[in-house]
Amino acid sequence: MTVKIFETSEVQDFLKTVSGFDQAGGNERAKQIMHRLLSDLYRLIDDFDVTPEEYWSAVSLLNSLGGQTQFGLLSPGLGFDHYLDMRQDAIDAEAKRNGGTPRTIEGPLYVAGAPEAEGFARMDDGQDTDGETMWLTGQVRDVNGNPVTGAKVEIWHANSKGGYSFFDKTQSEYNLRRTIYTDAEGRYTARSIIPSGYGVPEGAPTDQVLKSLGRHGERPAHIHYFISAPGYRHLTTQINLAGDPYTFDDFAFATREELVVPANRIEDSAEIAKRELDGPFSEVVFDVALAETDAPELQIRHKRPRAKEDEQDQASQLAGTAEV
Ligand code: MBD
Ligand code: FE
């Protein structure tokens, strides 16, 4: 088939009408972006001779994605989350804002309001007996190596089956989610369990998309962080545990060389006793360097709909940084 209608004035005029260009109301940026998006898609349909069957199966797939709230899962799988990071890195480089531990994607599974602790917290509820005990610790410093006391370190990770509390209703509330404020030496320490990697549910709409591309939906074992302190840039990052088959083959493209950290198995009884544990454990050390900033808006995480977080929480975060 060689029918090509995209460039005709009839289609071009139609796109402007559909995008509300002849309407006084609405939002100018929404109109511009919708016009560009629809133009690109109409052109694609023309260029690839997309059939009605293909079009309606795509609509059905989008309905399934939405119905199972999987757009936030497909998004990292299609590289959008990492692409936003690449753009933010480039924006920072241009503004000569460099230094500090690198960012990487937040992912779709953060939940606001985790229990808070000073210096140390146990993160697991003791129910997941398949999980190896993890001793997770590190120091938060400025880029000159000075410790940052009272930094807010939010940590969340999966259990031994790759599931996250709140989304996995078999887990207790806030299991494997904590906020720890660094001590006088800038340290945070958590007792938890070594997470397993995450896999996109078999047969789910996100899986269907990935399969159609010949790709898998696996993430390596990883641990998420938000780290913030007054006067410093908010950092969204995660560590990938070394030695996982997917450490450098993450479907969500979050791995960065600087963020791959080993889990060191420790069997020495003195080390076990020092931590008041009852057996061997794996230690994971992740030190963080925060870049300084005077700009209040750079001291908090960007706005985004998040589980159990509302606009008010976000406003109070901003107020919290501005007063220092
Ligand atoms: C995860 O745990 C995750 O961090 C991302 C980005 C996507 C799916 C599951
Ligand atoms: Fe995750």
Side-chain angles (χ1 to χ4, degrees):
M1 237 204 314
T2 52
V3 164
K4 297 288 177 244
I5 62 166
F6 180 74
E7 303 285 4
T8 63
S9 55
E10 190 186 355
V11 171
Q12 293 304 307
D13 291 346
F14 183 53
L15 276 164
K16 292 187 181 118
T17 306
V18 172
S19 304
F21 282 9
D22 57 356
Q23 300 298 314
N27 173 297
E28 202 46 45
R29 184 166 165 84
K31 290 181 187 187
Q32 292 297 328
I33 289 176
M34 186 61 81
H35 181 261
R36 171 64 170 274
L37 180 64
L38 294 177
S39 297
D40 288 353
L41 291 174
Y42 280 28
R43 186 197 292 277
L44 178 159
I45 289 171
D46 222 24
D47 288 351
F48 286 84
D49 285 321
V50 170
T51 64
E53 287 83 347
E54 288 173 323
Y55 177 77
W56 292 110
S57 84
V59 169
S60 175
L61 179 69
L62 293 175
N63 275 333
S64 312
L65 280 162
Q68 299 179 41
T69 57
Q70 285 192 2
F71 276 108
L73 184 59
L74 183 62
S75 170
L78 294 184
F80 286 103
D81 304 35
H82 183 59
Y83 183 58
L84 293 181
D85 278 351
M86 291 165 81
R87 280 184 43 81
Q88 201 57 54
D89 286 351
I91 291 164
D92 286 350
E94 193 178 71
K96 305 247 179 326
R97 284 193 302 253
N98 30 39
T101 301
R103 67 165 55 80
T104 195
I105 71 168
E106 172 180 335
L109 303 174
Y110 171 79
V111 179
E116 303 196 344
E118 305 283 334
F120 172 86
R122 180 167 178 180
M123 297 180 68
D124 68 299
D125 63 7
Q127 298 297 303
D128 189 347
T129 47
D130 292 339
E132 154 110 354
T133 302
M134 173 171 75
W135 196 261
L136 175 64
T137 188
Q139 192 181 30
V140 179
R141 309 181 185 113
D142 66 19
V143 291
N144 301 312
N146 305 304
V148 179
T149 302
K152 183 179 186 179
V153 180
E154 292 190 72
I155 307 173
W156 69 103
H157 66 80
N159 69 3
S160 71
K161 282 147 202 83
Y164 285 78
S165 65
F166 183 82
F167 303 97
D168 167 13
K169 297 298 181 192
T170 70
Q171 295 183 46
S172 61
E173 197 183 21
Y174 289 116
N175 190 39
L176 311 178
R177 301 178 183 277
R178 288 295 182 277
T179 297
I180 304 173
Y181 291 91
T182 55
D183 67 15
E185 277 87 54
R187 292 195 175 282
Y188 69 92
T189 302
R191 174 187 167 168
S192 196
I193 54 168
I194 293 280
S196 287
Y198 169 94
V200 170
E202 194 78 33
T206 301
D207 185 48
Q208 287 174 39
V209 176
L210 295 171
K211 287 254 164 61
S212 76
L213 306 175
R215 291 180 46 203
H216 66 74
E218 303 295 327
R219 295 213 62 206
H222 62 278
I223 300 163
H224 296 269
Y225 284 81
F226 282 152
I227 302 150
S228 60
Y232 296 92
R233 293 203 70 182
H234 179 275
L235 177 65
T236 298
T237 196
Q238 38 175 303
I239 50 176
N240 286 169
L241 299 185
D244 188 298
Y246 296 103
T247 304
F248 293 101
D249 187 20
D250 177 5
F251 101 95
F253 307 103
T255 309
R256 297 183 77 145
E257 205 72 57
E258 309 92 311
L259 301 173
V260 175
V261 174
N264 295 312
R265 177 135 173 123
I266 295 177
E267 297 178 353
D268 181 82
S269 55
E271 294 298 324
I272 294 168
K274 201 164 87 186
R275 292 168 182 76
E276 298 178 31
L277 299 174
D278 34 7
F281 63 98
S282 287
E283 184 165 62
V284 177
V285 178
F286 181 48
D287 296 327
V288 176
L290 294 181
E292 282 170 40
T293 182
D294 293 332
E297 69 279 8
L298 295 179
Q299 298 180 23
I300 57 169
R301 56 188 178 237
H302 61 252
K303 248 170 91 166
R304 161 179 180 172
R306 296 182 174 91
K308 298 199 179 194
E309 180 175 66
D310 53 28
E311 300 270 329
Q312 231 177 337
D313 294 337
Q314 291 178 337
S316 69
Q317 270 190 67
L318 191 54
T321 58
E323 70 191 24
V324 180

